[in-house]
Amino acid sequence: MNKLKTIAICGSSGHISDQVEAICLELGKKLAENGYNLVCGGRDGVMEAVCHGFSLAPNSQGTCLGILPGMHKEDANPYCQLVIPTGLGYARNSLVVLSGDAVVVVQGASGTLTEVAYAWQFGKPVASLKSTGGVAARVADTRIDDRRKDKIAGFAEVEELLGWIKIKLGE
Amino acid sequence: MNKLKTIAICGSSGHISDQVEAICLELGKKLAENGYNLVCGGRDGVMEAVCHGFSLAPNSQGTCLGILPGMHKEDANPYCQLVIPTGLGYARNSLVVLSGDAVVVVQGASGTLTEVAYAWQFGKPVASLKSTGGVAARVADTRIDDRRKDKIAGFAEVEELLGWIKIKLGE
Amino acid sequence: MNKLKTIAICGSSGHISDQVEAICLELGKKLAENGYNLVCGGRDGVMEAVCHGFSLAPNSQGTCLGILPGMHKEDANPYCQLVIPTGLGYARNSLVVLSGDAVVVVQGASGTLTEVAYAWQFGKPVASLKSTGGVAARVADTRIDDRRKDKIAGFAEVEELLGWIKIKLGE
Amino acid sequence: MNKLKTIAICGSSGHISDQVEAICLELGKKLAENGYNLVCGGRDGVMEAVCHGFSLAPNSQGTCLGILPGMHKEDANPYCQLVIPTGLGYARNSLVVLSGDAVVVVQGASGTLTEVAYAWQFGKPVASLKSTGGVAARVADTRIDDRRKDKIAGFAEVEELLGWIKIKLGE
């Protein structure tokens, strides 16, 4: 039975650059190949590109889950395998984070920052791909507050990030 | 890729009778064998028994998803494969319903009635296993209000219910 | 300081008959005159008419509070004094109920039934104005499940309902 | 009828210093004296101190509203006049922000940062009392992302902040 660990991806909706898209594709594919589930907000932009990457490893045991702000499954990007249409608007951000065993930040703006702050508050391991810019670059290697002693782990490369995930999730 | 239809199960937490448990096991197993995903509130009672049944068809393509009221994955019953810990309390009931392409009621009390009413409001096909008693028996073959022309489809047997699901989901 | 008890009103949005409107106006006015706060879903129909009635007792110490499904205060009916735009969609129904010290049902359809069922589950005193029809008539003098020994108190007249509220809230 | 503007206060729960408490008391009192409603998360720490200050202007037309994470009104600080027990956990943070016409940050840690980021995303005017430290100091005079051209307005003094609120809310 699928009892795989789940990685939450927090990042921008909307247009992304070719460079960020390539990173997202690599990230999604490696998460799938390494036997993780993927959870994200189910929309376009970073979310869609990571889900797309996930689908490129078709023999994966993992599942790609989208937790939507709206009420309609049809709003999910086409790579989501399971869709939770919450109808909660942006209050759904905390659910994406709670569903991850670890949280990875890719680019992102204010909505992503709510997720980073929730992840920190909920005690989740948080890493960021700082080469993608935006919130990911801003929060890399920093603390959100003094209640935790660790930092948001900043990485330039997906491969390094994967190593960190494996260590954090005890494998 | 998993693009299976998803059936939401709404029913009692807490102790259930041997008779209701047997119905739940059969229901879960048949949903899995017929290639559906299962979504429920992830707790004990009816939810656990249906998830247990689902796990008894290990070659299923479907996934068993639990959407918890609390913040901790550990609170899910052991048969859930993917867990969404919402932290929303009973406001999560609407999410269980929204995640289903069809909704099935098994026994149940007031919490289940919120889910039945949401399912009706959201326009979801709703059926009930009326032999399980509780809310399922009460709402079987009735309308919640006049905005829909159909009724909650009441069934005595799991096999009949499966036939209804296949018709409703266009297969 | 305002430490008044709060009455949650659950009822239909959309068009209501003149007869139901008259009952709503009387209900809102008497709640205000008797020093209660009013909370509802902040929309039109029953909600607006009760809020309108509340505004007709301008010397009231009470406050009229609308808890909206959407994100915009402007969507509230014009009689709401304080507006909480939740952005939660229909998951906001549980908040309306939780905000009341007692819950009153007026007409209503499936959305109202979610609120009645939540009120019962949360242990709130629940009454219904059964002369208004809809869910209010259906649930009057019934139990939602066996976990409570009381019934939903059905009343034909607003005056009787007020007497019940005063008793239930210990005044 | 109360159609006052509402100020959302976002800040730390738990212990606060005497200096921060004095600022909170002044802030709450001046908001009340200037005819604003106050909304916050209804808990202790910064929230309680600002609500306490609000209560020190007893002739205010404004109302002090607490939007709690839990299900029980009794968990609110004693200065809240109206209490919304959401049962949503930290997903309630977005509701606090949505309820404000402007948002003020006082000290704060990761939970407060979720509120700042939501406020930015929702297009609310945001100011911070940077002398209170924590998140308030960190975000003062910065942008959360490039989608807005303004900055989070940082103030050292409550009096200056009040002037900004009056300008922003068009008075």
Side-chain angles (χ1 to χ4, degrees), chain C residues 3, chain D residues 40 42-44 47-49 51-52 68 75-80:
Chain C
K3 279 283 186 182
Chain D
C40 71
R43 303 296 301 276
D44 61 353
M47 294 173 267
E48 177 161 351
C51 293
H52 186 179
L68 294 174
D75 296 338
N77 73 60
Y79 305 104
C80 289

Side-chain angles (χ1 to χ4, degrees), chain A residues 90-95 109-111 113-114 117-118 120-122 135 138 143-145 147, chain D residues 90-95 109-111 113-114 117-118 120-122 135 138 143-145 147:
Chain A
Y90 298 107
R92 76 83 154 77
N93 292 5
S94 63
L95 279 67
S110 53
L113 185 58
T114 66
Y118 274 130
W120 186 267
Q121 185 177 21
F122 298 156
V135 164
R138 184 115 50 95
R143 285 195 181 92
I144 300 295
D145 60 36
R147 289 183 292 197
Chain D
Y90 298 108
R92 76 81 155 81
N93 291 5
S94 63
L95 279 66
S110 52
L113 185 58
T114 66
Y118 275 130
W120 187 267
Q121 186 176 19
F122 298 156
V135 164
R138 184 117 49 95
R143 285 195 182 92
I144 299 297
D145 59 37
R147 289 184 291 197

